[in-house]
Amino acid sequence: MDTPFPYSQYVTGKNFVGRKSDVTLLGNLISQGEHVCIYEPPKTGKTSLIQQTLYTMRVQGKAFAVGQFSALNIRTPEEFLLRMGSTLIRMTASAPSEYAALVDKYFKGTHFVFDRQAYAESGQVLSLDWDLDKEDVLAMLRFPYMLAQDRGDRLILIVDEFHCVSLMDDPDVILRPMDAIMKAERELGRTQFSFILCASAVNAMKAIFEASLLFHRRVERVRLSAIDELEITDHVHKGFLSSGKVIARDLLQGACRLFKGHPWYINHFAALCDSMSRGYIMEPVLVDALDCLLAVHEPRFTACVGGLTTFQVSLLRATVDGVTRFSASDVIRKYGLHSSANVKRVKDALMKKEVLQFDAADNPSFLDPLFEYWLKKYYFEIKEG
């Protein structure tokens, strides 16, 4: 169904709001053969940015082939490499004989095979006939570079939820050789292939790309720019007008500010307002729509706080109160945080749970603006001043 407020899928074209500079940056990096990582909180527009960039590149006449897979349900190096290889093979071939030829050409001497029985039973285009070894890993990670060079065109592989690699028993089985091959291929001047590594687990991706020594200057991070408040307000206002609704701009701007420019929440909220109103949208409609949105997400929020320790809840309260120096003695006493060593443990735990993130100056912020609002109003019951 056509709607002015899509929130169940990524958006492009007229529904893509702001972030024009992000599109230009990502397109330039891919065109130059750079590898890219994008890690931002869930539903903030990562896929929309990628798809809008690819659309723009096609309009500009740039030729490339794109493949995509998710690492969300992957927990072993074997699964990761098989899915990666299968995606690449399906990008460039379309028949069993072509699959077999590619596997024979690029994986001879490895344990990767095209198993006709497995293909007939489940459509599996790549299999392992023995335990994975180091040479298998290297062969697969070199595969896209060799494939792009032989084809003579640009290949782009999007890996969603890449942070799940860190959940493997030994992530370095994948990460270290991937880093080494990126370096080696760059030195050889092979720039026809690019990874776009995405994830919604911000802190887990920071551990891979910032805290470790891997991928330095080999993978460029593209950050999602904040969407201008007036721009997204204008976009939503036009959406209401297109469905015959009118709303005061100051009310709409206040709602967009509450969600801190989060496009998914704003679109879902606007869609609720649209479905609950006729003609002029008054403030009570916005209040009811916000209650409906909270009702959808409250089970997730209550499950989150239910899994926190007392110290972790106390640090969240301090964050809500605007505290930044958690290790200060007066803060530790006021919020019952026990000690500065305990503060560090609590901060680490909240980052692992993807509740808070900390910037370079160690200032905290919530990854989910609606969760922050729910904490303030319903969990801590803080009255608005």
Side-chain angles (χ1 to χ4, degrees), residues 112-283:
F112 291 110
V113 296
F114 174 70
D115 185 327
R116 292 188 177 276
Q117 183 175 349
Y119 177 76
E121 293 175 354
S122 63
Q124 189 172 328
V125 301
L126 194 65
S127 305
L128 278 166
D129 65 358
W130 200 255
D131 293 339
L132 188 75
D133 64 24
K134 182 179 178 180
E135 293 305 313
D136 296 332
V137 176
L138 294 174
M140 180 57 71
L141 294 175
R142 290 192 189 103
F143 175 42
Y145 300 93
M146 299 171 64
L147 187 61
Q149 183 182 33
D150 291 346
R151 284 171 53 90
D153 60 3
R154 184 165 302 286
L155 299 184
I156 301 167
L157 183 60
I158 304 166
V159 185
D160 293 319
E161 305 305 338
F162 182 74
H163 72 280
C164 290
V165 171
S166 64
L167 302 177
M168 297 177 183
D169 290 339
D170 185 3
D172 283 346
V173 171
I174 297 295
L175 297 178
R176 289 195 178 278
M178 179 181 283
D179 174 61
I181 288 173
M182 284 180 178
K183 178 183 178 182
E185 295 296 328
R186 171 65 64 179
E187 290 173 349
L188 291 171
R190 294 175 180 166
T191 58
Q192 291 295 102
F193 168 71
S194 293
F195 275 115
I196 301 180
L197 307 173
C198 302
S200 299
V202 175
N203 294 313
M205 289 288 275
K206 283 183 177 180
I208 296 172
F209 293 101
E210 297 180 31
S212 75
L213 299 177
L214 299 175
F215 304 109
H216 181 58
R217 294 185 177 178
R218 286 185 264 286
V219 177
E220 297 290 333
R221 182 182 180 186
V222 172
R223 300 172 184 265
L224 294 182
S225 301
I227 302 175
D228 182 77
E229 188 177 285
L230 293 177
E231 188 173 5
I232 197 164
T233 299
D234 185 58
H235 173 75
V236 176
H237 189 262
K238 289 178 180 177
F240 282 126
L241 289 177
S242 71
S243 59
K245 312 290 175 63
V246 178
I247 184 171
R249 283 184 176 272
D250 58 337
L251 287 178
L252 191 53
Q253 194 167 346
C256 292
R257 188 176 298 125
L258 184 150
F259 297 117
K260 297 185 177 180
H262 194 297
W264 184 62
Y265 281 141
I266 290 172
N267 272 321
H268 193 177
F269 174 76
L272 288 169
C273 290
D274 192 34
S275 67
M276 298 166 67
S277 62
R278 291 183 179 179
Y280 201 85
I281 301 175
M282 305 295 287
E283 186 173 356

